[in-house]
Amino acid sequence: MVEAENITKTYGDRVIVNDFSTRVLRGDRIGIVGPNGAGKTTLIKMLTGLLEPDSGKIKLGSALELAMLDQGRAKLLPETRLKDALTGGGSDTIHINGEARHVVGYMKDFLFTPEQANTPIGKLSGGERARVALARALSLPSNFPVLDEPTNDLDLETLDLLEEMVSDYAGTAIVVSHDRDFLDRVATSVIIAEGEGMWTEYAGGYSDMVIQRGEGVNARAAITKAHRAGKTALAQTTAATAKRKLSFKEKHALETLPKDIEKLEAEIKTLNAAPADGSLYAKDPASFAAKSKALAAAETKRAAAEEQWLELELLREEIEG
Ligand SMILES: Nc1ncnc2c1ncn2[C@@H]1O[C@H](COP(=O)(O)OP(=O)(O)OP(=O)(O)O)[C@@H](O)[C@H]1O
Ligand SMILES: [Mg+2]
């Protein structure tokens, strides 16, 4: 489906992707993992032909039909009715995998009630809007869904649903996610940011990736050979992790972060319930703005906490083998 050969991308003096090669075969479901700003979105844009690499080659299969669920979530006008957002308007029929379906049935797959068909998008909660975006992306005629952090702001039920859909999905997919369980269940290989623009692909899900990284010498020797340029950074981390232990602070953070994340999730849920009601904006713009600001702050904090947890967890597994 995709062949990337020695692709490189630099922004200013930051190397985002340094000499990366991979092949995406039919049926592969690739997970992409890495800290904020590592270049996950940039990498998938290149792998899908939306962005040119500075050097190296990308070859795309001729029958490739992309469906991109992007991080920004395609903007929907708030007054668009739910069913029109899904069908494009004008009809109650939607074509899924070449099969005509009634939009209400499809809505049900995404946990919406028939009564919500005429609800304007602007009145839906944040989680519901994320579900609409997902329903739209998966309804496009595509043999290659590319989902950039689809698990952010999904409730547990939707997450289960997404997991089921992606793992039952026979086609090829790329999913950017921090959600370890999700990747364990759906990914056939994981590409992780190793820092300094180095990306490495491991077979299997997230846990398999952690085990292979932990294997150390052999896995790392292969990586080092492949990326001589990035050698120093990797050698330094390997040497450093081989010797070190988790500090008291790090251990404490590993224990407390999941609870912090849960709290932030609850806070986000509460805040989401408010701005979704468009009437608040008309009645009290100041309070609406304050809530939106609080929501953005909570989301940033949650992302940072998830990130930190992921890094510590990787470190822990690497140390404990
Ligand atoms: N067009 C651009 N011009 C300059 N810098 C850019 C451009 N696009 C991305 N960047 C920078 O490249 C880096 C990688 O961005 P990218 O969006 O790919 O990261 P990401 O891993 O997807 O992050 P996140 O987890 O926050 O989604 C960031 O530091 C970003 O600011
Ligand atoms: Mg991104």
Side-chain angles (χ1 to χ4, degrees), residues 41 71 148-149:
T41 300
Q71 224 172 354
D148 196 351
E149 311 215 18

Side-chain angles (χ1 to χ4, degrees), residues 205-224:
Y206 187 100
S207 302
D208 300 307
M209 178 269 292
V210 170
I211 292 167
Q212 292 170 75
R213 271 165 71 93
E215 250 173 33
V217 194
N218 290 339
R220 282 176 197 291
I223 299 163
T224 315

